[in-house]
């Protein structure tokens, strides 16, 4: 049903328009409003008409056409999740290119050649050594435009931009550094041979072994974009807190289109938009391929990413087509070409790269005679060689130029490229290209010709590096560009944080014990953190990080004391404003309250813990998390933290499989110490008492700040409250090295005062389970006349490392007096068998067994946790006092030190069910 719409404005309005002044303006506005209403209705009617005659598909098609038309008119459309498949920046808005195109092209060609040659050469000399050619080949223009015009070095007043480089593009970055004179030919020859004489280059960016070059480890897909987002936010944090000069420095993050499938890659993009991080620029190299094949063969990764980023609030710049397309698009008056561009799925686009101009004419343009006419003046080869946007420096420059000027939102540049660009038959656009590392002579010649490398036919075969003379136009240009941009990149310089340590008095109260008051190690730790925050020297440098778990750990008192960081402060009155510990958000807040993201928190931890090398600022992070949701959740980020030489404390709270009661198997952590033990520069502890926590933190700050060791710390703290004893004399060294004697054997029955020199056993306890061990000591003495020495083991992994180091040294120095592992040394005179009880897996104590002077029985919490009370859990996992006592009697019986039937008697007496379920299997 339709109504008739008048084609002219109503006469009454006409008459009113004849008035004067305000009346006239009002009537004109009324007239316009009326016209608008009529126009809107007209459009609406048309839409309905189409809908009823042709259905919803036709409506969508029409609107798509109108959208193209609107974009052409530069109209801002309200629906912005996807825009037509053309460059976001039209040719009219493209700024002039400031550089010398010819020289830059030659430099880029040399870098391309060398990046390829170093991989080919490495594989010719060592088959299977690997490497990647095609990633950089597709990204060369994206990097070169950045290096020549945008990326600022450390000497720039901004302090320098931070560049996260796509890991597999590293050959191109090395090749450029070689042209810049920063890396020697020998180093490039030893690509992927870090152990070669004279040194070699690591496959991918990593600060661990190239600590003066690479700032960020990037190759584990998805971590770089996540780390870059939190890095950009942390840069703001430093400035807001007065720890860094205000800066317009940018964080650039280069990633692959395939990489965006990693949840971490896109998982934090809403944070970047919410925090309005206009200091952040993502460049996604959309070559439409990943390792095995197309990223979205049946779809369009660029359109998909545009929708995701736009939806999250990012500024999206698509760089799809090079200059060769400008004229065609200018003549695309009815939008046919633009529409066709948007119809092609990525698998088909990839095919065009490989199949050539005839195929493109037939399949792309051939669907419509009008499209065919648009390109009838062009040869097939011309059609084939029309560049994509990501290979056109002027288009890339325009995108970067817009990105660095963007205000109020982060920018993502979606640049279309060809994977293996320039490799021709050897792999350009082919599915095998990611793995291509060897080129034959013909392929090398093709590459040389395509990029005009001045090498003779004879020279080409061995894929030599090419470097122009220092006084060549190219070399001078390259040096001049970097000089004017503040020096070379990448570059990593680290400042010393020596002297930034707290007053000794910070630690004192923890050495004194709690005077019988029941206090958990979590509470003790939070108290220590609070004292560190108040310290005159280190206070401002401490960065507490929590993933929405502060109340769980009793940290809410810190909200008010230190404030929660927010770039905009607090725009609302907190609901608990009248309480002493209200939820205080403030611009100079110190706490990073990250919300429920352990991955994001760890990214902040890395940013804060690497600030001495990234920002020239000393910050020391304490990341306090639910221990179960640490290592097993975000272990790869912990590895990246280690590689990055991050300093700081990881604090796994509410730890221990049986100490965290009630929560059950998803929450109860009995293995994070096993996972922590695999990280080479991570020092981990499972402390039992507040003074142990205090000594560990003190030593950690000493080593990380005063000694500048590239280590970081992991300690678990628990929520079981018990009296904290005062620190015994002389235990400092033992606490830090992993073990010390806590309570000498109770000889005989304390209750009767009688001195019985019974059989002897050694008991090891850690964390909250140490209390069970102490109880077992009493039980053994009172009931069975067994004398047990109790040891506190703070770190099995440190004991094991020390012992392994000694063993290794002894093996390599057989003629010299052997070194003794610390564990062997301190237990040398201990009598009897050993029993170790831990809230973690048995493999931890088992890992040190061979360095003990007697046999070891390990009790631990292998298996799934349970929702239960501590008492029931410790019975279930067989780590309570009675099971420890039984293990001791069993070990003594094995040695013949007690009656053989004593263990059986004890089982009955202690109420242990020998047929109980095996917790490891249950
Ligand atoms: C977490 C992780 N998984 C797998 C890999 C192995 N891998 C290396 S490169 C690659 C494909 C990368 O494709 P894309 O991100 O599109 O980059 P391109 O090389 O195409 O630029 C894969 C799967 C990795 N490095 N990291
Ligand atoms: Mg790709």
């Amino acid at each position: 049903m339709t109504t008739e719409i008048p084609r002219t404005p109503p006469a009454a309005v006409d008459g009113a328009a004849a008035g004067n002044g305000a009346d006239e303006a009002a009537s004109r506005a009324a007239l316009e409003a009326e016209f608008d209403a009529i126009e809107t209705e007209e459009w609406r009617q048309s839409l309905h008409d189409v809908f009823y005659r042709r259905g919803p598909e036709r409506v969508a098609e029409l609107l798509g056409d109108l959208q193209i038309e609107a974009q052409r008119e530069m109209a801002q459309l309200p629906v912005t999740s996807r825009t037509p498949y053309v460059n976001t920046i039209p040719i009219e808005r493209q700024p002039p290119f400031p550089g010398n195109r010819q020289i830059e092209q030659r430099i880029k060609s040399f870098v391309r050649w060398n990046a390829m040659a170093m991989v080919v050469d490495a594989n010719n000399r060592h088959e299977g050594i690997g490497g990647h050619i095609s990633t950089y080949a597709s990204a060369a223009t994206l990097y070169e435009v950045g290096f020549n015009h945008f990326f600022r070095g450390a000497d720039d007043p901004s302090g320098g931009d931070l560049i996260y480089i796509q890991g597999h593009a590293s050959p191109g970055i090395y090749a450029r550094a070689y042209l810049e004179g920063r890396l020697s030919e020998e180093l490039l020859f030893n690509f992927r041979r870090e152990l070669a004489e004279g040194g070699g280059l690591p496959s991918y960016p990593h600060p661990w072994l190239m600590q003066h070059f690479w700032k960020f480890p990037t190759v584990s897909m998805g971590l770089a974009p996540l780390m870059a987002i939190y890095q950009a936010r942390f840069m703001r944090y430093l400035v807001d807190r007065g720890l860094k000069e205000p800066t317009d420095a940018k964080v650039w993050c280069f990633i692959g289109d395939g990489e965006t499938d990693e949840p971490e890659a896109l998982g934090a993009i809403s944070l970047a938009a919410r925090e309005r991080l206009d200091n952040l620029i993502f460049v996604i190299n959309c070559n439409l391929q990943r390792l095995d094949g197309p990223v979205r063969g049946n779809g369009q990764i660029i359109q998909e990413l545009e929708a995701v980023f736009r939806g999250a609030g990012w500024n999206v710049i698509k760089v799809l087509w090079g200059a060769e397309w400008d004229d065609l698009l200018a003549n695309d008056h009815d939008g046919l070409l633009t529409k066709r561009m948007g119809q092609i799925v990525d698998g088909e686009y990839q095919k065009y790269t490989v199949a050539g101009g005839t195929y493109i004419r037939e399949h792309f343009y051939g669907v419509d005679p009008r499209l065919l006419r648009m390109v009838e003046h062009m040869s097939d080869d011309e059609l084939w060689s029309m560049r994509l946007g990501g290979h056109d420096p002027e288009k890339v420059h325009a995108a970067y130029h817009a990105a660095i000027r963007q205000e109020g939102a982060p920018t993502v540049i979606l640049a279309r490229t060809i994977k293996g660009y320039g490799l021709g038959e050897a792999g350009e656009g082919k599915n095998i290209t990611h793995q291509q590392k060897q080129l034959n002579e013909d392929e090398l010649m093709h590459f040389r010709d395509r990029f005009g490398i001045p090498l003779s036919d004879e020279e080409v075969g061995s894929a030599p590096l090419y470097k122009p003379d220092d006084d060549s136009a190219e070399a001078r240009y390259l040096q001049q560009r970097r000089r004017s941009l503040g020096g070379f990149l990448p570059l990593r310089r680290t400042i010393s944080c020596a002297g930034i340590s707290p007053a000794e008095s910070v630690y004192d109260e923890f050495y004194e014990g709690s005077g019988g008051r029941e206090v958990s190690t979590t509470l003790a730790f939070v108290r220590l953190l609070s004292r560190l925050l108040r310290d005159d020297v280190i206070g401002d440098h401490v960065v507490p990080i929590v993933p929405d778990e502060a109340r769980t750990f009793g940290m809410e008192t810190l909200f008010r004391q230190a404030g929660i960081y927010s770039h905009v402060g607090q725009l609302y009155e907190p609901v608990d404003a009248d309480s002493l510990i209200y939820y205080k958000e403030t611009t100079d807040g110190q706490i990073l309250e990250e919300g429920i993201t352990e991955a994001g928190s760890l990214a902040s931890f890395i940013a804060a813990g690497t600030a001495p090398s990234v920002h020239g600022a000393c910050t020391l992070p304490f990341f306090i998390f639910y221990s179960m949701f640490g290592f097993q959740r975000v272990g790869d980020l912990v590895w990246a933290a280690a590689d990055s030489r991050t300093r700081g404390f990881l604090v796994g709270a509410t730890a221990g499989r049986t100490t965290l009661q009630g929560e059950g198997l998803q929450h109860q952590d009995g293995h994070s110490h096993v996972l922590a033990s695999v990280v080479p520069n991570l020092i981990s502890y499972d402390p039992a008492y507040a003074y142990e926590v205090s000594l560990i933190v003190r030593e950690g700050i000493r080593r990380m700040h005063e000694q500048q060791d590239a280590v970081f710390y992991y300690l678990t703290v628990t929520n079981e409250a018990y009296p904290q004893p005062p620190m015994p004399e002389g235990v400092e060294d033992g606490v830090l090295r992993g073990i010390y004697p806590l309570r000498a054997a109770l000889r005989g029955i304390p209750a009767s005062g009688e001195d019985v020199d019974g059989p002897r056993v050694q008991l090891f306890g850690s964390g909250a389970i140490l209390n069970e061990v102490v109880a077992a000591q009493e039980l053994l003495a009172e009931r069975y006349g067994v004398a047990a020495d109790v040891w506190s083991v703070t770190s099995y992994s440190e004991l094991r490392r020390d012992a392994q180091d000694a063993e290794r040294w002894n093996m390599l120095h057989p003629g010299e007096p052997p070194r003794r592992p610390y564990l062997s040394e301190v237990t040398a005179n201990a009598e009897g068998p050993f029993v170790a009880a831990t809230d973690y897996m048995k493999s931890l104590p088992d890992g040190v067994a061979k360095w003990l002077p007697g046999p070891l029985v390990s009790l631990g919490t292998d298996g799934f946790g349970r929702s239960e009370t501590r008492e029931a859990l410790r019975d279930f996992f067989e780590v309570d006092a009675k099971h420890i006592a039984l293990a001791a009697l069993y070990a003594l019986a094995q040695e013949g030190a007690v009656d053989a039937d004593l263990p059986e008697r004890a089982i009955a007496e202690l109420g242990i069910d020998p047929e109980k379920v095996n917790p490891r299997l249950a």
Side-chain angles (χ1 to χ4, degrees):
M1 193 189 71
T2 55
T3 41
E4 198 50 41
I5 296 183
R7 297 284 143 187
T8 48
V13 178
D14 252 346
N20 286 326
D23 280 356
E24 197 177 315
S27 59
R28 205 171 28 244
L31 186 67
E32 262 169 27
E34 189 142 2
F35 258 110
D36 283 354
I38 293 168
E39 197 176 44
T40 305
E41 189 52 31
E42 221 174 348
W43 280 65
R44 205 173 275 143
Q45 292 285 352
S46 305
L47 191 139
H48 284 306
D49 187 42
V50 174
F51 183 82
Y52 285 115
R53 277 192 304 108
R54 302 284 311 282
E57 280 91 21
R58 177 66 189 139
V59 171
E61 194 176 273
L62 260 180
L63 288 178
D65 288 352
L66 289 175
Q67 195 183 12
I68 293 170
E69 209 51 49
Q71 168 127 344
R72 199 187 298 280
E73 301 292 340
M74 297 293 294
Q76 290 284 328
L77 296 183
V79 179
T80 55
S81 65
R82 273 180 203 203
T83 61
Y85 202 77
V86 290
N87 294 344
T88 306
I89 301 173
I91 179 80
E92 309 83 61
R93 292 287 187 88
Q94 201 172 296
F97 189 78
N100 181 323
R101 280 283 310 271
Q102 284 71 36
I103 292 191
E104 287 189 25
Q105 175 148 16
R106 281 203 298 281
I107 294 170
K108 182 167 67 185
S109 295
F110 300 155
V111 179
R112 280 183 185 284
W113 173 268
N114 289 333
M116 176 276 296
M118 67 190 279
V119 176
V120 170
D121 178 68
N123 284 278
N124 282 343
R125 282 183 296 129
H126 307 278
E127 210 190 317
I129 202 82
H132 299 85
I133 300 172
S134 63
T135 299
Y136 181 73
S138 73
T141 302
L142 303 179
Y143 288 109
E144 278 302 301
V145 170
F147 279 120
N148 283 322
H149 301 286
F150 293 93
F151 305 160
R152 289 163 300 174
D155 299 332
D156 184 81
S158 65
D161 296 322
L162 307 176
I163 324 283
Y164 289 74
I165 283 159
Q166 198 187 346
H168 295 75
S170 63
I173 310 305
Y174 292 137
R176 176 167 242 273
Y178 166 67
L179 289 189
E180 291 168 344
R182 304 169 64 209
L183 295 179
S184 69
E185 191 165 314
E186 188 185 19
L187 279 173
L188 263 73
F189 277 144
N190 289 328
F191 176 52
R192 291 188 158 238
R193 298 215 39 233
E194 292 177 89
L195 299 175
E197 206 175 315
L201 295 175
S203 49
Y204 308 115
H206 74 73
W208 183 253
L209 289 175
M210 256 186 119
Q211 61 160 314
H212 303 298
F213 192 84
W214 294 118
K215 265 196 172 101
F216 309 112
T218 50
V219 84
S220 181
M221 312 253 118
L223 301 192
L226 180 83
M227 292 191 289
I229 289 173
Y230 283 86
Q231 182 67 259
R233 208 272 307 256
F234 189 71
M235 194 147 86
R236 283 266 177 82
Y237 170 95
L238 287 177
V239 172
D240 284 344
R241 292 202 45 231
L243 294 166
K244 185 179 169 87
E245 290 291 312
T247 174
D248 66 349
K250 305 286 180 204
V251 177
W252 293 80
C253 182
F254 288 78
I255 53 181
D257 48 358
E259 182 171 4
T260 61
D261 280 341
E262 290 285 2
E264 293 90 343
L266 301 182
I269 61 169
S270 61
L271 169 103
R274 191 163 63 243
E275 299 270 334
R276 302 163 69 87
L277 296 177
D278 50 20
N279 59 349
L280 176 66
I281 299 163
F282 274 15
V283 181
I284 306 186
N285 177 15
C286 297
N287 52 30
L288 314 186
Q289 288 178 249
R290 43 179 162 76
L291 193 153
D292 286 340
V295 178
R296 294 285 184 277
N298 295 317
Q300 296 174 314
I301 185 64
I302 292 175
Q303 297 299 85
E304 185 179 321
L305 289 173
E306 175 182 36
V308 170
F309 278 95
R310 238 181 243 288
W314 284 53
N315 172 43
V316 179
I317 302 177
K318 291 196 288 195
V319 187
L320 308 186
W321 309 105
E324 290 79 357
W325 296 85
D326 286 340
D327 282 348
L328 280 188
L329 284 163
N331 291 323
D332 183 30
H333 302 300
D334 48 8
L336 275 180
L337 178 61
T338 306
K339 200 164 110 189
R340 183 70 186 136
M341 286 166 157
Q343 287 170 343
I344 308 298
V345 293
D346 290 354
E348 181 70 6
Y349 268 131
Q350 188 189 342
K351 173 92 176 171
Y352 296 159
T353 301
V354 178
T358 316
Y359 184 92
I360 295 172
R361 192 184 303 276
E362 187 184 336
H363 289 85
F364 181 76
Y365 297 99
V367 292
D368 188 324
R370 290 170 295 175
L371 282 172
L372 278 173
R373 269 199 300 282
M374 287 178 84
V375 292
E376 63 192 0
H377 61 290
M378 296 173 75
S379 72
D380 285 356
D381 275 350
E382 279 171 331
L383 289 187
W384 196 19
S385 58
M386 291 170 79
R387 277 171 314 163
L388 295 177
H391 295 301
D392 182 335
E394 299 197 27
K395 304 288 181 199
V396 172
H397 173 269
Y400 290 3
H401 182 269
I404 61 167
R405 285 163 179 77
Q406 174 69 22
E407 284 180 12
T411 293
V412 59
I413 292 164
L414 303 171
R416 232 193 105 184
T417 63
I418 290 171
K419 191 148 179 167
Y421 187 70
L423 289 185
E425 278 302 304
E428 186 165 287
K430 294 188 173 173
N431 278 339
I432 47 92
T433 196
H434 190 84
Q435 309 288 70
Q436 182 60 283
K437 18 200 138 278
Q438 265 157 325
L439 267 55
N440 64 32
E441 204 157 319
D442 282 351
E443 291 162 345
L444 286 169
M445 288 216 205
H446 167 89
F447 197 105
R448 175 204 62 183
D449 294 345
R450 179 151 177 187
F451 295 110
I453 311 299
L455 289 171
S456 70
D457 286 2
E458 292 71 45
E459 287 169 321
V460 158
S462 62
L465 296 174
Y466 176 78
K467 190 174 182 180
D469 289 342
D470 285 352
D471 60 356
S472 65
E474 293 85 0
R476 280 186 285 123
Y477 186 90
L478 178 139
Q479 294 289 341
Q480 183 276 331
R481 290 311 308 145
R482 286 318 311 163
R483 252 197 318 277
S484 73
L485 284 163
F488 296 118
L489 284 169
L491 182 72
R492 187 175 179 278
R493 285 183 192 148
T494 307
I495 62 159
S496 164
C497 299
I500 303 185
S501 289
E504 278 297 314
S505 58
V506 158
Y507 304 109
D508 286 347
E509 71 171 85
F510 306 97
Y511 304 147
E512 287 156 14
S514 61
R517 232 170 16 99
E518 296 195 333
V519 178
S520 69
T521 47
T522 300
L523 207 74
F525 165 76
V526 172
R527 206 173 151 75
L528 174 59
L529 181 60
S530 157
R531 303 209 72 184
L532 288 169
L533 284 162
R534 283 206 188 94
D535 182 80
D536 286 345
V537 179
I538 203 169
D540 282 347
H541 303 267
V542 171
V543 181
I545 304 169
V546 277
D548 195 34
E549 216 56 87
R551 291 182 201 280
T552 315
F553 312 139
M555 288 177 66
E556 62 270 37
T557 49
L558 299 184
F559 290 166
R560 173 80 184 277
Q561 181 193 331
I564 295 163
Y565 172 70
S566 158
H567 182 60
V568 295
Q570 196 154 33
L571 308 176
Y572 59 96
E573 185 181 346
V575 65
D576 50 3
D578 54 356
S579 94
L580 270 180
I581 47 171
Y582 72 95
Y583 197 84
K584 179 182 166 194
E585 297 197 61
T586 157
T587 313
D588 62 354
Q590 204 159 347
I591 300 170
L592 289 173
E593 162 68 86
E594 298 293 14
I596 311 167
T597 167
E598 283 76 15
S601 304
L602 207 45
S604 280
F605 178 79
I606 293 170
T610 55
S613 62
V614 177
H615 299 284
C618 285
T619 46
L620 187 67
F622 287 78
F623 171 33
I624 303 102
F625 52 94
Y626 222 118
S627 115
M628 190 65 158
F629 306 126
F631 287 83
Q632 73 170 14
R633 176 92 191 199
V634 286
D636 199 21
L637 275 161
V638 177
W639 192 257
D643 182 349
S644 307
R645 302 171 158 263
T646 305
R647 299 187 179 120
F649 292 89
L650 298 171
V651 183
T654 55
R657 185 103 69 206
T658 69
T659 306
L660 176 60
Q661 54 186 350
E663 287 288 343
L665 71 92
Q666 297 101 340
H667 283 72
Q668 290 161 341
D669 164 36
H671 51 275
S672 67
H673 278 290
V674 178
L675 304 179
S677 72
V678 305
V679 182
N681 55 340
L682 178 65
I683 301 175
S684 49
Y685 290 97
D686 178 21
Y689 297 135
Y691 65 81
E692 295 178 358
V693 172
S694 179
L695 285 173
I696 292 161
V697 170
R698 174 174 173 261
E699 173 68 359
I701 294 175
R702 189 191 69 78
R703 283 195 63 183
M704 293 187 282
H705 272 187
E706 302 307 322
Q707 220 166 284
Q708 302 194 61
D709 291 349
V711 295
F712 61 135
Y713 280 68
Y714 175 53
L715 58 145
T716 41
V717 289
T718 73
N719 65 1
E720 183 173 359
Y722 44 82
Q724 295 294 338
M727 181 166 77
E729 286 274 305
V731 299
E732 287 95 329
D733 193 38
V735 168
L736 300 174
R737 298 185 75 168
I739 187 169
Y740 64 95
L742 180 75
R743 280 162 65 115
L746 303 173
R747 293 192 165 265
I749 304 160
S752 69
E754 202 179 324
D755 191 23
V756 182
D757 198 9
R760 197 158 179 151
V761 67
Q762 306 297 317
L763 304 181
F764 288 177
S766 312
I769 296 298
L770 184 54
N771 293 318
E772 297 290 338
V773 172
V774 169
Q777 180 192 43
E778 282 161 20
L779 184 64
L780 283 165
E782 284 174 16
R783 274 209 163 166
Y784 301 101
V786 168
D789 295 297
V790 174
W791 305 73
S792 174
V793 180
T794 51
S795 177
Y796 284 108
S797 90
E798 283 305 288
L799 290 176
R800 182 172 158 85
R801 286 172 177 175
D802 167 78
Q804 283 176 331
D805 292 351
E807 192 169 89
R808 172 182 172 277
W809 192 90
N810 294 342
M811 183 181 80
L812 294 172
H813 304 85
E816 297 183 45
R819 291 184 180 169
R820 203 162 192 199
Y822 182 72
L823 179 62
S824 308
E825 193 178 308
V826 294
T827 57
N829 299 320
E831 291 171 36
F834 292 77
V835 173
T838 165
D839 222 1
Y840 291 85
M841 294 176 70
K842 295 173 186 176
S843 58
L844 287 170
D846 284 348
V848 301
K850 69 172 172 171
W851 295 289
L852 291 170
L856 170 75
V857 178
S858 295
L859 301 178
T861 58
D862 300 46
F864 285 118
R866 287 287 189 286
S867 296
E868 256 301 349
T869 61
R870 267 182 207 125
E871 196 186 348
L873 285 166
R874 288 176 184 168
D875 174 56
F876 177 74
F877 280 105
E878 299 155 16
V879 292
D880 58 4
K882 62 180 184 298
H883 282 95
I884 297 167
L886 171 62
L889 297 176
Y890 168 74
L892 287 167
Q894 292 286 306
E895 291 197 332
V898 297
D899 289 347
D901 64 354
L902 182 57
E904 202 157 351
R905 242 175 51 219
I907 285 174
E909 283 172 16
L910 298 171
I912 293 171
D913 171 11
E915 303 311 324
K916 77 186 271 291
V917 67
N918 178 351
R920 188 183 68 78
L921 304 172

